[in-house]
Amino acid sequence: MSTAKKEIKRITTHILQTLKEQGEKISMLTAYDYSMARIVDAAGIDIILVGDSASNVMAGHETTLPITLDQMIYHAQSVIRATERAFVVVDLPFGSYQGNSTKALNSAISIMKESGAHAVKMEGGSEIEDSVIRILSAGIPVMGHLGLTPQSIYKFGTYGVRAKEEAEAEKLISDAKLLESLGCFALVLEKIPAELGSKVAQALHIPVIGIGAGDGVDGQVLVLHDLLGITQDFNPRFLRRYLNMYDLMKNAIEHYISDVKSGDFPNKEEQY
Ligand code: KIV
């Protein structure tokens, strides 16, 4: 029997670009901790996003705004330790890059140095141009994020579909082209009309990954806890739940409690 270790090839920006060129869809999911990231990586996901949605999903905040750079680095370190194949992208959190390109560069360097991640993601277009340029100039790959950008939720005032009106759609297209021309390796489009998603994906050479951006983009991303049905109170139209893990876990835990109370656990085989 061969003892040779199975060769696992790490996904790179180059491979992601090739997937777009070959018309193969890109799969992307969030993960924030070691145990979940191991499962996601073993399943063969292309990209793991250490999203600032950790602020909602892991910490219970109402928005993504409170999560800090150090907290993002902690999540990213745990995910990196778990992955062998996936390309790992980490969100730059709110306040760590807007309006100050030096601060942006330092934040991105901290993430890359302290976690070992492979790229950062940033929300916004022309408003963050200087920060994107500065980070790219340090050799750090940047993924853009347009459409519904949750770090600007208080500006939008709602989590509704973005860019339904022509002016906002035009701005989104021009921001997407700008981010590509600056050198971003990929772009996330969140909660926009499917037709606009297709238009952007066709106009850009880099991969465009959608979350609620229709089926005409180059790949899809979901929040892992939504897909698994761990979160219960988030039901946008774009979400497909593949499991009802909330009920599965609750039932298992109720069973355990009842076994402890009745004295059924541990039995004779479960002790020393
Ligand atoms: O933080 C996050 O999970 C994200 C995805 C929704 C794309 O940015």
Side-chain angles (χ1 to χ4, degrees):
M1 199 175 82
S2 165
T3 53
K5 221 176 153 205
K6 204 172 99 200
E7 275 279 315
I8 296 172
K9 201 169 171 205
R10 174 78 74 177
I11 301 285
T12 60
T13 52
H14 179 73
I15 292 175
L16 295 170
Q17 183 61 42
T18 307
L19 292 179
K20 163 137 185 168
E21 282 157 21
Q22 293 175 343
E24 188 181 328
K25 298 277 188 185
I26 295 166
S27 60
M28 172 163 153
L29 273 177
T30 63
Y32 318 103
D33 69 282
Y34 176 82
S35 303
M36 288 286 200
R38 270 197 85 173
I39 300 171
V40 175
D41 191 61
I45 204 80
D46 295 318
I47 305 175
I48 291 182
L49 171 66
V50 184
D52 59 358
S53 50
S55 178
N56 312 95
V57 175
M58 302 303 285
H61 291 297
E62 212 174 293
T63 71
T64 57
L65 276 65
I67 199 160
T68 65
L69 185 61
D70 283 345
Q71 287 165 343
M72 288 303 298
I73 290 170
Y74 167 78
H75 287 297
Q77 288 168 335
S78 310
V79 168
I80 282 288
R81 280 194 286 270
T83 63
E84 294 185 346
R85 179 182 179 277
F87 186 78
V88 178
V89 181
V90 181
D91 265 333
L92 277 175
F94 176 69
S96 71
Y97 62 97
Q98 294 96 338
N100 182 337
S101 65
T102 306
K103 186 171 183 185
L105 177 61
N106 290 336
S107 303
I109 287 176
S110 297
I111 285 181
M112 301 298 283
K113 240 181 160 45
E114 294 176 40
S115 76
H118 310 129
V120 297
K121 178 163 80 60
M122 303 164 71
E123 297 183 6
S126 55
E127 315 78 22
I128 57 159
E129 182 174 351
D130 291 347
S131 297
V132 173
I133 293 172
R134 201 83 190 268
I135 293 172
L136 284 167
S137 73
I140 299 171
V142 174
M143 174 180 266
H145 183 156
L146 298 171
L148 177 64
T149 47
Q151 291 178 13
S152 306
I153 188 58
Y154 291 121
K155 185 175 107 190
F156 297 147
T158 147
Y159 284 100
V161 179
R162 302 304 314 174
K164 287 201 282 192
E165 308 301 331
E166 202 173 323
E168 195 181 340
E170 286 307 320
K171 157 101 171 101
L172 187 145
I173 293 169
S174 116
D175 279 340
K177 288 182 175 164
L178 172 69
L179 292 171
E180 173 170 88
S181 73
L182 296 179
C184 288
F185 74 94
L187 176 66
V188 165
L189 292 180
E190 180 164 353
K191 218 167 178 189
I192 59 166
E195 205 181 313
L196 180 59
S198 298
K199 201 170 163 183
V200 175
Q202 279 165 28
L204 297 198
H205 301 288
I206 57 170
V208 175
I209 318 282
I211 172 162
D215 60 356
V217 288
D218 307 306
Q220 299 293 330
V221 54
L222 283 177
V223 167
L224 179 65
H225 291 62
D226 297 336
L227 169 155
L228 294 176
I230 297 175
T231 48
Q232 291 273 291
D233 38 13
F234 180 64
N235 291 298
R237 186 203 290 209
F238 66 74
L239 174 60
R240 186 180 294 179
R241 284 193 209 289
Y242 287 81
L243 215 62
N244 185 344
M245 218 158 128
Y246 181 93
D247 281 349
L248 288 172
M249 287 180 71
K250 189 161 165 281
N251 288 343
I253 293 162
E254 282 169 356
H255 198 162
Y256 165 73
I257 293 169
S258 130
D259 285 352
V260 170
K261 300 275 181 197
S262 70
D264 184 72
F265 176 80
N267 64 27
K268 288 285 174 252
E269 282 73 47
E270 290 163 331
Q271 46 191 300
Y272 302 99

